[in-house]
């Protein structure tokens, strides 16, 4: 008999190559892409990016056009191939300049993984994330219904509601953003800094993060086996009881 589909399945993760020389641009962009459900590789030289493109496949390349060695990518066979990755063009400060669709793919699906970017200083990063979703979406597998799952825990992005088995979980907006962040990064420990950047407009206090996690933990865990855990000295994670 065929094996039934796993209830723990989540959408496939798009791979992004971030080629940006300025750490003040690359670091927050990489962090927010990963929290939004993308897998990133960061390099600060176009020549290094060219080597990586020959070694593995990427769904999207985000390129800082002000790098002095960008000519190294102009004739890259990988970027000229029929199944080439999509490309986003930026300045070193993260200002969007333009995009090139990937080969062999239809138009961007939009509706890819969402992420909150709320401070004025992050406006350019927000635009880059929106463009990334347009170009590569979230690469949802056929039949994916827009919900994130981990075992019997389900978060529906359309309704902003969660359930654990047959039990409905009512969430505040902050609790929803936190639960989504934990589900996208299931089995991965997230620091308070990472959580704060995803959930709040301004940097929160440690106590504010602790109170939010505590409220969400009570709602999600209830009387059932715990899914939200603390890794003391490191942060929080969602997963089975075995420490990641």
């Amino acid at each position: 008999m065929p094996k039934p589909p796993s209830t723990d399945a989540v959408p496939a993760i798009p791979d992004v190559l971030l080629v940006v020389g300025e750490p003040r641009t690359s670091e927050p962009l990489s962090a927010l892409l990963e929290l939004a459900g993308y897998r990133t590789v960061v390099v600060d030289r176009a020549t290094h990016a060219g080597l990586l493109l020959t070694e593995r496949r990427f769904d999207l390349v985000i390129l800082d056009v002000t790098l002095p060695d960008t000519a190294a990518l102009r004739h890259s066979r990988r970027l000229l191939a029929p199944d080439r990755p999509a490309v986003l063009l930026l300045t070193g400060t993260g200002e969007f300049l333009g995009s090139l669709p990937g080969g062999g793919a239809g138009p961007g699906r939009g509706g890819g993984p969402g992420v909150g970017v709320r401070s004025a200083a992050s406006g350019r990063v927000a635009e880059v994330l929106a463009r990334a979703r347009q170009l590569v979406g979230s690469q949802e597998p056929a039949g994916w219904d827009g919900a994130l799952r981990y075992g019997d825990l389900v978060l529906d992005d359309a309704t902003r509601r969660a359930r654990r088995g047959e039990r409905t979980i009512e969430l505040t907006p902050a609790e929803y953003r936190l639960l989504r962040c934990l589900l996208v990064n299931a089995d991965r420990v997230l620091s308070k800094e990472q959580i704060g950047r995803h959930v709040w407009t301004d940097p929160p206090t440690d106590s504010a993060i602790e109170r939010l996690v505590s409220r969400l933990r009570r709602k999600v865990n209830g009387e059932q086996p715990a899914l939200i855990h603390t890794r003391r000295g490191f942060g929080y994670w969602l997963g089975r009881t075995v420490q990641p």
Side-chain angles (χ1 to χ4, degrees):
M1 295 180 62
K3 183 178 179 180
S6 169
T7 57
D8 287 354
V10 297
I13 301 175
D15 288 298
V16 178
L17 176 58
L18 189 57
V19 193
V20 177
E22 175 53 64
R24 286 177 295 181
T25 299
S26 63
E27 290 175 4
L29 182 53
S30 174
L32 289 170
L33 281 165
E34 291 192 356
L35 287 175
Y38 298 89
R39 183 165 43 220
T40 65
V41 175
V42 182
V43 296
D44 60 4
R45 291 178 298 161
T47 50
H48 190 183
L51 293 174
L52 286 174
L53 285 166
T54 65
E55 296 171 355
R56 58 180 287 190
R57 184 184 184 282
F58 290 92
D59 300 289
L60 174 66
V61 176
I62 300 178
L63 175 64
D64 170 8
V65 299
T66 65
L67 290 175
D69 60 346
T70 53
L73 293 179
R74 287 179 184 169
H75 303 293
S76 167
R77 291 182 180 179
R78 189 69 194 90
L79 293 181
L80 297 173
D83 61 341
R84 63 188 178 276
V87 179
L88 279 178
L89 304 176
L90 310 177
T91 66
T93 58
E95 182 179 354
F96 173 75
L97 295 178
S99 63
L100 303 170
R109 305 183 190 191
V115 64
V117 181
R118 305 170 191 84
S119 67
S122 299
R124 290 189 293 268
V125 174
E127 182 178 9
V128 173
L129 291 172
R131 301 284 182 172
R133 291 196 293 269
Q134 291 173 356
L135 287 170
V136 300
S138 56
Q139 303 296 313
E140 301 96 337
W144 187 58
D145 58 4
L148 292 171
R149 293 178 169 82
Y150 193 99
D152 62 350
L153 175 63
V154 181
L155 180 66
D156 190 324
D157 268 347
T159 64
R160 301 299 197 261
R161 293 178 180 271
R163 68 178 185 273
R164 180 93 189 264
E166 299 300 318
R167 178 171 60 89
T168 299
I169 303 172
E170 296 293 337
L171 301 170
T172 67
E175 289 166 352
Y176 163 77
R177 292 193 295 269
L178 174 58
L179 182 55
R180 195 184 198 288
C181 178
L182 292 171
L183 276 166
V184 166
N185 295 278
D187 295 314
R188 174 185 175 191
V189 176
L190 298 178
S191 68
K192 289 180 179 179
E193 180 183 1
Q194 289 174 304
I195 289 173
R197 189 162 51 218
H198 183 77
V199 175
W200 279 272
T201 302
D202 299 311
T205 63
D206 284 356
S207 61
I209 297 173
E210 291 164 3
R211 288 194 299 271
L212 179 62
V213 172
S214 179
R215 291 199 307 269
L216 182 63
R217 193 200 316 260
R218 287 196 298 270
K219 290 184 177 184
V220 170
N221 290 350
E223 301 298 322
Q224 296 163 280
L227 283 180
I228 296 178
H229 313 275
T230 300
R231 183 81 176 272
R232 296 199 179 279
F234 293 93
Y236 304 96
W237 62 286
L238 184 146
R240 308 300 185 190
T241 53
V242 177
Q243 288 282 2

